[in-house]
Structure formats: structure tokens, C-alpha cells
Amino acid sequence: MSIHTAASVAVSGDLDDEDELIRLAQAGDGAAFGRLYDRYLPSIYRYTYSKTSSRSAAEDLTSETFLRAFRAIARRPRAHLNFAAWLVTIARNVVIDHHRSGWSRLAIVTDEVDPQVDESMGPEQAALASVSEAALRGALSLLPDDQRECLLLRFFAGLSISETAAAMDRTDGAVKQLQFRATNRLRRIIE
């Protein structure tokens, strides 16, 4: 049994201790990083999807985000690591790289060729969901960049106020105020 495996076994009783999982992942424990992956996968996927509107692109960008995080986690000192904010920062950079490359146009074409339909939804629900999503995306695009980013981090990525503040390099109070202004403006746009 390796040292990393023994450490994983020792921690298995407290699987929710994020600090311990991060410490183990920094020491090279793949299973610990896997638990962090499982914990943050939904929020990073929602974030990348909100930035691309393409399921296949969001899946690829989410995978790239975690790959970059896995490669870099050992170099990050824990004292300075808010894991959720750090992941979102990586995801933001991956999305920027994606849009700078020509792959974003290919991903959109691929989604149009092979649409992914939720079979549990009837045609009426699917139509309403797509109209609502399109209206929301249109309204979000009219917000200033910082307000849009705040709402995407809070509600699409599911980050807390403090995690959003760390990701945006702002204070908790500034994020609360930004979120308040953004939701009010979004409500006026949608009405």
C-alpha cells in the first residue's frame, strides 16, 4: 500500500473535509482529487455551458478545466487556495482560450447536427424551456460584463458569495451589491 493510498484510507471516514482532500490531492493522491472533481463538476459544467451554449463544448471545457487543475494543484499553496474560486478562474481562462481559437464555431455546428434532446420532456415543455433559456441568455447579454459574470458565477456555477468574491477579486460586500444591481437590471430587461 502506498503512502497516498494509506492517507486516503485514513481520511475515508471524513470524506467531506475539503481541506484534507486538497492536501492529499496536492500530495499526488488521485482519489482525493477525484472526490473534489465529483464535488465541483456540476458547477464548473454549468459555468462553461453558460459561456458557450453548447453541451459538447461545455463538456470539453469542463474536462480541460479539471485537467489543468490536476496538473497545477501541487504548485498551489493551500493557505492561498480557495478551491472553488481557483477552479472558476481556470474555467474562465479555458473558455477564453476556447473562444480565441476557431473551435467554438465547430462546436456550435456539431451541436446543431446532433441535438441532444431530453426524452423525458414532452414537446411543449421542451419548446417552453428553449424559449425561456433563449430569453434569459438574451437578457444576460444586455448586462454589463461584471454584472453578467457575477450572476453566472452565483447562479450557473453555484458559487457562494465569498467564492464569487474570490473569483472576481472583490469583497463579499461588493459582490452582494453587484448581484443586487444585476438582478434588478435583469428583471427590468425581462419585463
Side-chain angles (χ1 to χ4, degrees), residues 23-53:
R23 188 186 65 70
L24 290 170
Q26 288 175 318
D29 187 331
F33 189 84
R35 294 196 190 281
L36 292 167
Y37 172 89
D38 290 341
R39 182 177 293 175
Y40 288 102
L41 176 67
S43 62
I44 296 301
Y45 174 80
R46 283 191 308 270
Y47 178 78
T48 58
Y49 182 75
S50 74
K51 294 292 199 171
T52 62
S53 302

Side-chain angles (χ1 to χ4, degrees), residues 131-143 148 186 189-190:
V131 168
S132 300
E133 184 178 330
L136 181 59
R137 286 192 181 282
L140 281 170
S141 71
L142 298 174
L143 293 177
R148 180 176 48 252
L186 188 62
I189 291 170
I190 290 175

Side-chain angles (χ1 to χ4, degrees), residues 117-118 121-135:
V117 178
D118 183 356
M121 246 190 233
E124 296 85 9
Q125 292 92 352
L128 288 173
S130 67
V131 168
S132 300
E133 184 178 330

Side-chain angles (χ1 to χ4, degrees), residues 88-107:
V88 169
T89 301
I90 294 171
R92 183 184 301 138
N93 291 334
V94 167
V95 168
I96 289 169
D97 292 348
H98 169 75
H99 286 300
R100 285 183 182 156
S101 74
W103 288 103
S104 60
R105 290 182 293 281
L106 179 61

